[in-house]
């Protein structure tokens, strides 16, 4: 006699052979094929109809790559749900479970999967791929600059590489925390079963994937030699590669980041666990929400700017052509409306993650929690009022220089508060010096240099000298790479056990850390030196007086790359063969550490009810005994031990 | 973080069950979703407000571009008002421009604006019918009317492209005006897609029995489309 029993976990639910419908036949390979086929059709038709007309090449490239983006997303399944909805067909429970990856094992990582943990893992891998490409391009730039008149790259190729390096890094840094961690970790952290809109979540990921090939296609379409800011009129005069660049940005910024930002805000606003009041929300959630809100302001501006530019190029409008009634300043205003908030879109989630790390490894609550929240909101508010400091040297509205200098310098106040919150949190704490803390220390060092040098650039007279030279390059690398990316790396080390079910190899990780920490200073102090000497940015050849500084920077860059490669090796080795992670290796207090690893499909087997803030370290413990518990964690289901769908990233 | 666990308790109000709800035939509560209509509505309303917020940024920048280029009038080429035979004005193709670029007809944008507003009013009527649990046709009828008016607006917008007295190459005014038209068309097409869904689903009885939430979401978006269309129509029509 057999007795039928209900599955214990949702992911073990047996599905019928038709569950998922069309999704069963769709994956990344189908997307690739559909994208290529539709792009080929688009090229044939547009070439036949438009090539001979004015701006024919631009129109053909625009149509072809738009077809690629649409085709890929048809193939992967982005449009299934909207079209099913519009014809009145709803998905069944089995369809939803299939969409969440049930019964598909590792194949779900190649599909339009709605499980936020799978999407977070997909983002994590995508970010590493983008950094690998962007980093390789950076090495080519530095190799060119190791001698004053290197023939390694032609000037045109050098400029193209500078542009695409910049844009790939901007894309990667925008999603490096909000992609992996705001997807995988954030919902668990607030006690939610998933993101608010799981399909939109998957869409935000696959849309980025479809946006990257057009960016890389710029190399075969004549290159974009304008720098990532693509100032007009250079952008209007550039080869058809500029259209590919614009398609990438419209797809990435206009669709993916906007949708992802909406999803993050709605998730935190409406799906918190019972009892999780706003003052009990983990600080990482605050940082993510403010970043998403800022992105919701900035990215539509990027979409608008690029749309205007592509119409200038492909239909003959003249938004940015002065002699035809346009204005280059219009581009600069609209672009920097996006450009400066975007810095904080990148920075805030990472610094918020560091606050979690600081609290966990100091065994102390986040210092001045409310001030930290206020600082995030303050930065978000001020960030939209500083855009014109990027235009001090352009001659635009000189009377506005002083107000913009003031707002820019004002923003150093909430930024300083964030710095003080981090210091205050670790101050007199019982420091547990694990790898995430190493990166926190490095962030503090780098960010103070990045912040202080930023004040010089916000100052109108000083900016006249520094604006177009390598000082600026060093400054924003200290801020975005030394600050945001180091913070993101700390977050990787911190949440790696939860995401993969394995402990990150700290021995290799710390080796990588020291390479990165030291080589970073060598690289970018070299660039500050170049800047003080007056070396302009974006040049392939330079006067020999800058040679020493460039050699210093290039040698530092090689070692920096080596450090990142060692860290990548640590990630890969640990993910494959690392020590099995307990559910809460850091003895942390927030909700993501309270669930088992691998995390079940809907995160919580029973709904949590929160009764305190997430930083109750030391409560009820006598002074001086606030140490991490030495007691072993209870044995939990190890990652990779079952073939179930749990724990995105574990299998 | 201290916590207790409580089976079947809500994340925010007592209805969030762990299991999936069974499929409800005919209602806007498909079997695949395991939230109450109220919970979903809360999320979707916030989503649509945020989407409108993002779209508002685009609208503001479009209007900014209009007034910025109009004020700057660089090279006298906002609408070539000062161009004469001796002024050596040329368009984007290098052809000489003599005299100002002709203005677009005021009627097309006004008609489009009116149609978008009427369409939004019909969506509102559909929402009211859904709220008061009226018969199926009381929802699907206005939904179909809204769709028809939206299609009419799309058609008029496309027609306007055919009859414009200038092309994209004719300076700043022509550029921004055509950008407004493209932006309006994109919004109308998106709304047309949504209204098609509203109509087909209303005809299947999805919005019966008080399940009005998603109709309200569509009404909010429809009103926003009407507003943004109106703003662009007024700016483009009256501030040349």
């Amino acid at each position: 006699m057999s007795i039928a029993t209900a599955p214990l976990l949702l992911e073990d639910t047996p599905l019928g052979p038709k569950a998922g419908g069309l999704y069963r036949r769709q994956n990344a390979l189908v997307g690739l094929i559909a994208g290529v086929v539709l792009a080929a059709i688009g090229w044939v038709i547009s070439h036949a109809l438009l090539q001979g007309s004015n701006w024919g090449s631009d129109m053909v490239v625009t149509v072809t790559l738009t077809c690629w983006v649409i085709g890929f997303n048809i193939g992967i399944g982005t449009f299934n749900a909207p079209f099913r909805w519009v014809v009145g067909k709803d998905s069944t429970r089995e369809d939803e479970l299939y969409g969440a990856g049930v019964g598909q094992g590792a194949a779900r990582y190649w599909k339009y999967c709605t499980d936020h943990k799978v999407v977070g893992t997909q983002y994590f891998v995508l970010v590493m791929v983008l950094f690998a490409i962007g980093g390789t391009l950076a090495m080519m730039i530095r190799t060119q600059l190791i001698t004053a008149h290197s023939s390694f790259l032609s000037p045109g190729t050098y400029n193209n590489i500078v542009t695409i390096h910049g844009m790939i890094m901007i894309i990667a840094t925008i999603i490096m925390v909000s992609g992996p961690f705001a997807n995988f970790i954030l919902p668990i952290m607030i006690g939610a079963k998933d993101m608010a809109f799981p399909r939109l979540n998957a869409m935000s990921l696959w849309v980025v994937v479809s946006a990257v090939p057009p960016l890389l296609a710029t190399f075969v379409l004549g290159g974009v030699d304008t720098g990532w800011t693509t100032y007009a009129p250079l952008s209007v005069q550039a080869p058809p590669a500029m259209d590919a660049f614009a398609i990438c940005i419209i797809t990435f910024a206009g669709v993916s980041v906007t949708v992802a930002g909406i999803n993050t805000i709605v998730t935190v606003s409406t799906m918190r666990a019972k009892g999780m009041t706003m003052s009990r929300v983990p600080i990482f959630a605050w940082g993510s929400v403010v970043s998403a809100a800022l992105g919701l302001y900035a990215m539509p501006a990027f979409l608008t700017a690029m749309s205007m530019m592509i119409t200038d190029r492909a239909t003959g409008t003249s938004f940015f052509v002065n002699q035809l009634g346009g204005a280059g300043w219009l581009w600069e205003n609209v672009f920097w409306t996006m450009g400066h908030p975007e810095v904080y879109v990148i920075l805030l989630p990472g610094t918020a993650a560091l606050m979690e790390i600081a609290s966990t490894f100091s065994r102390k609550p986040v210092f001045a929690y409310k001030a930290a929240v206020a600082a995030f909101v303050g930065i978000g508010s001020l960030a939209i009022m500083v855009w014109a400091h990027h235009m001090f040297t352009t001659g635009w509205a000189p009377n506005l220089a002083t107000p913009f200098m003031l707002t820019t310098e004002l923003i150093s106040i909430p930024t300083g508060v964030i710095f003080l919150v981090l210091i205050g949190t670790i101050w007199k704490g019982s420091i547990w010096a694990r790898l995430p803390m190493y990166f926190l220390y490095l962030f503090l060092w780098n960010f103070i240099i990045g912040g202080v040098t930023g004040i010089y650039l916000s100052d109108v007279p000083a900016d006249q000298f520094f604006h177009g030279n390598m000082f600026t390059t060093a400054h924003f690398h200290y801020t975005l790479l030394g600050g945001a990316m180091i913070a993101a790396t700390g977050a990787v080390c911190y949440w790696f056990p939860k995401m993969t079910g394995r402990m990150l190899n700290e021995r290799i990780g710390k080796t990588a850390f020291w390479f990165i920490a030291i080589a970073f200073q060598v690289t970018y102090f070299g660039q500050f030196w170049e800047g003080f000497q007056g070396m302009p940015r974006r040049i392939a050849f330079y006067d020999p007086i800058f040679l020493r500084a460039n050699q210093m920077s290039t040698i530092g860059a090689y070692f920096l790359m080596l450090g990142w490669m060692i860290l990548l090796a640590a990630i890969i080795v640990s993910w494959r063969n690392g020590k099995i992670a307990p559910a809460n290796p850091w003895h942390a207090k927030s909700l993501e550490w309270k669930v088992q690893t691998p995390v079940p499909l809907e995160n919580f087997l029973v709904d949590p009810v929160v009764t305190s803030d997430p930083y109750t370290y030391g409560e009820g413990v006598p002074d001086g005994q606030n140490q991490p518990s030495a007691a072993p964690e209870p044995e939990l289901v190890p990652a990779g031990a079952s073939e179930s769908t749990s724990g995105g990233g574990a299998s | 973080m201290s916590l207790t666990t409580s089976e079947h308790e809500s994340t925010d109000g007592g209805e969030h069950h762990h299991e999936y709800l069974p499929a409800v035939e005919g209602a806007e509560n498909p079997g695949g979703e395991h939230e109450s209509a109220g919970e979903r509505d809360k999320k979707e309303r916030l989503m649509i407000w945020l989407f409108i917020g993002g779209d508002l940024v685009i609208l503001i920048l479009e209007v900014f571009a209009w007034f910025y280029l109009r004020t700057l009038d660089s090279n006298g080429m906002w609408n070539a008002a000062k161009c004469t035979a001796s002024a050596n004005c040329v368009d984007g193709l290098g052809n000489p421009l003599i005299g100002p670029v002709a203005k677009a007809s005021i009627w097309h944008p006004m008609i489009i604006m009116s149609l978008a507003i009427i369409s939004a009013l019909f969506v509102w009527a559909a929402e009211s019918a859904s709220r008061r649990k009226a018969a199926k046709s009381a929802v699907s009828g206005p939904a179909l009317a809204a769709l028809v008016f939206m299609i009419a607006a799309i058609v008029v917008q496309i027609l306007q492209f055919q009859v414009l007295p200038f092309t994209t190459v004719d300076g700043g005014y022509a550029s921004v005006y055509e950008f407004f038209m493209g932006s309006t068309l994109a919004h109308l097409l998106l709304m047309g897609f949504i209204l098609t869904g509203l109509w087909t689903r209303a005809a299947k009885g999805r919005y019966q029995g008080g399940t009005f939430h998603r109709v309200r979401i569509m009404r909010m978006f429809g009103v926003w489309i009407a507003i943004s269309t109106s703003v662009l129509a007024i700016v483009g029509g009256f501030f040349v």
Side-chain angles (χ1 to χ4, degrees), chain A residues 85-88 90 96 193 196 270 272 315 318 322-324 326 396 589 591 602 604 606-607 609 611-612, chain B residues 1-6 9 11-12 16 18 32 34 43 68 74-75 168 171 175 193 197 200-201 204 206:
Chain A
W85 177 85
V86 89
V87 297
D90 291 319
E96 297 291 325
K193 294 178 192 299
T270 65
R272 298 189 310 279
T315 70
S318 54
N322 289 39
Q323 65 270 32
L324 296 175
W396 181 76
K589 302 283 188 179
L591 276 181
E602 288 198 334
F604 301 94
V606 289
D607 291 342
V609 178
T611 56
S612 72
Chain B
M1 177 175 282
S2 300
L3 58 89
T4 60
T5 51
S6 164
E9 281 198 301
T11 54
D12 55 7
H16 198 151
H18 189 61
H34 57 294
K43 292 196 301 189
Y68 187 72
S74 62
N75 209 28
T168 50
S175 299
F193 182 83
T200 55
R201 298 175 74 82
K204 290 186 176 189
R206 290 286 201 277

Side-chain angles (χ1 to χ4, degrees), chain A residues 337-349:
Chain A
T337 294
M338 176 286 300
H340 204 80
E342 165 260 341
V343 171
Y344 295 101
V345 171
I346 292 169
L347 203 54
L348 293 186

Side-chain angles (χ1 to χ4, degrees), chain A residues 408-457:
Chain A
T408 305
E409 291 180 354
L410 271 179
I411 210 167
S412 61
I413 295 173
T415 311
V417 169
I418 283 179
F419 196 84
L420 290 176
V421 167
L422 286 168
I423 297 281
T425 304
I426 61 177
W427 187 260
K428 292 188 177 179
S430 303
I431 303 294
W432 191 15
R434 300 296 294 266
L435 192 54
M437 278 300 278
Y438 281 49
F439 284 99
L440 169 61
Y441 293 138
L442 182 56
F443 170 88
L444 292 172
W445 171 260
N446 289 342
F447 196 62
I448 196 96
I449 294 173
V452 168
T453 53
I455 294 173
Y456 290 88
L457 295 173

Side-chain angles (χ1 to χ4, degrees), chain B residues 189-230:
Chain B
L189 287 169
L190 178 59
M191 195 63 210
F193 182 83
I194 291 168
L195 290 177
T196 306
L198 172 62
W199 172 53
T200 55
R201 298 175 74 82
K204 290 186 176 189
R206 290 286 201 277
Y207 303 116
Q208 297 306 116
T211 51
F212 63 90
H213 303 92
R214 281 195 174 153
V215 190
R216 178 167 62 184
I217 301 291
M218 287 178 246
R219 184 262 297 168
M220 290 166 70
F221 194 64
V223 170
W224 164 246
I225 294 292
I227 291 170
S228 64
T229 303
S230 304

